Amino acid sequence: MSDYQGHFLNASQGHLYLACFGKLADSHVWLYLPPFAEEMNLSRAVVSHQARSFADRGEAVVCLDYYGTGDSEGELDQTNADLWLQDVCDTLAWIREQGAASVSLWGLRFGGLMALRFIAENPDSAIEKLLLWKPLLDGKLLMGQFFRLKQVSESMKGGAKVNWMARVAQGETVEVAGYPIAPSMLQSLVDMKLNKLVLEHPPTTTWLEAGANKIAASVEAVSPIWAGHKLDLQHCLAPAFWQNPDCYQAPELWDQSLQMTEGR
């Protein structure tokens, strides 16, 4: 079984919690970028298993909790996705300081979109490869779904229908399922769209559409932004564990991820 060690990184915004699997020095290291809000918590067991599998293969994994999330310092309403991009930069710098031989990015859902945004905005970052698990295509769609949770909750209490996204856009901070969404967070997320990213020299990319029995047309539509660069896009029948509090196993996804990233 691979070694696990927690580490607090004194980063630009504050202390970030990093869950480290395996030995970083002289290794190929995956930096894992998590999904948004409760999806981050629901996915931890499946992600930890995959991280240990990579480490058992001789690689290493660093799992980042963005500022204001998980075990990192701060509150969610004190940050936004633009500042989280700096968290990624700070963590990558620290990984390289530990003597990593090479670094790749692995992202789930929002984390996949964040990884792609980082690549687009940092084309000379020397990221070796990308592993994307069901990456989001549109941050605005994510927030629309998120605020529907608020509407359902309020409706069950007999509340009137409210455009909660509009309320936040107008300057109000609204709590959704325990997560305070401030205007700056909302704006930073709705601005993130995969089809607006320009990938000049993307690394070799493995994209797994987990929880799907085929590749959706919306995914096929954005794949041309790789423009001839290596993209291996496949579907995977693994469950949507990021939505299910009782799902801790995704063997199909684990196996497929190991096979598709072996020796690449």
Side-chain angles (χ1 to χ4, degrees):
M1 185 63 68
S2 59
D3 294 334
Y4 164 82
Q5 182 177 5
H7 177 79
F8 280 99
L9 172 63
N10 187 13
S12 300
Q13 296 188 78
H15 289 91
L16 304 177
Y17 183 74
L18 310 178
C20 305
F21 298 82
K23 174 177 167 288
L24 274 63
D26 301 318
S27 297
H28 171 248
V29 180
W30 293 96
L31 172 56
Y32 168 74
L33 306 182
F36 184 74
E38 195 59 20
E39 290 188 2
M40 178 183 186
N41 296 321
L42 296 178
S43 61
R44 285 195 187 276
V46 170
V47 168
S48 293
H49 183 103
Q50 184 70 67
R52 293 186 187 278
S53 296
F54 281 139
D56 290 342
R57 191 168 73 176
E59 300 170 297
V61 177
V62 174
C63 298
L64 167 65
D65 285 0
Y66 310 116
Y67 184 82
T69 73
D71 290 319
S72 289
E73 190 177 359
E75 301 296 333
L76 188 63
D77 55 359
Q78 299 173 332
T79 187
N80 57 57
D82 298 330
L83 294 174
W84 285 349
L85 201 64
Q86 184 60 50
D87 293 347
V88 176
C89 294
D90 291 345
T91 306
L92 284 170
W94 177 81
I95 289 172
R96 292 190 165 109
E97 288 171 2
Q98 307 316 299
S102 57
V103 185
S104 295
L105 294 179
W106 161 29
L108 167 62
R109 301 277 290 152
F110 166 77
L113 182 56
M114 178 67 84
L116 288 164
R117 178 182 171 186
F118 175 84
I119 293 296
E121 296 184 15
N122 300 273
D124 300 321
S125 58
I127 296 299
E128 184 172 292
K129 49 192 172 183
L130 282 175
L131 173 60
L132 306 174
W133 280 3
K134 191 72 172 179
L136 290 180
L137 308 182
D138 189 333
K140 185 176 182 179
L141 180 60
L142 166 69
M143 296 313 293
Q145 295 168 343
F146 195 63
F147 282 113
R148 274 197 286 276
L149 296 175
K150 176 71 171 178
Q151 186 59 59
V152 169
S153 175
E154 294 299 317
S155 296
M156 292 177 66
K157 300 174 187 176
K161 187 173 182 180
V162 175
N163 187 333
W164 294 105
M165 187 183 293
R167 290 267 289 266
V168 176
Q170 291 164 7
E172 183 177 338
T173 295
V174 171
E175 185 175 297
V176 182
Y179 295 91
I181 306 301
S184 64
M185 175 62 78
L186 175 63
Q187 189 59 54
S188 68
L189 289 168
V190 299
D191 286 344
M192 291 178 63
K193 300 180 188 298
L194 182 51
N195 62 6
K196 289 187 175 181
L197 298 180
V198 177
L199 304 180
E200 294 180 8
H201 305 288
T204 296
T205 303
T206 297
W207 178 331
L208 285 170
E209 277 292 288
N213 58 10
K214 64 178 182 178
I215 303 299
S218 57
V219 173
E220 293 281 8
V222 298
S223 61
I225 70 172
W226 269 260
H229 297 279
K230 179 61 175 176
L231 170 64
D232 195 349
L233 171 60
Q234 297 186 20
H235 64 81
C236 179
L237 292 176
F241 55 88
W242 57 89
Q243 298 174 339
N244 187 346
D246 299 316
C247 183
Y248 309 104
Q249 303 286 322
E252 304 94 341
L253 183 61
W254 295 331
D255 292 345
Q256 210 164 329
S257 296
L258 286 172
Q259 291 169 9
M260 294 175 69
T261 58
E262 178 69 44
R264 298 179 63 187

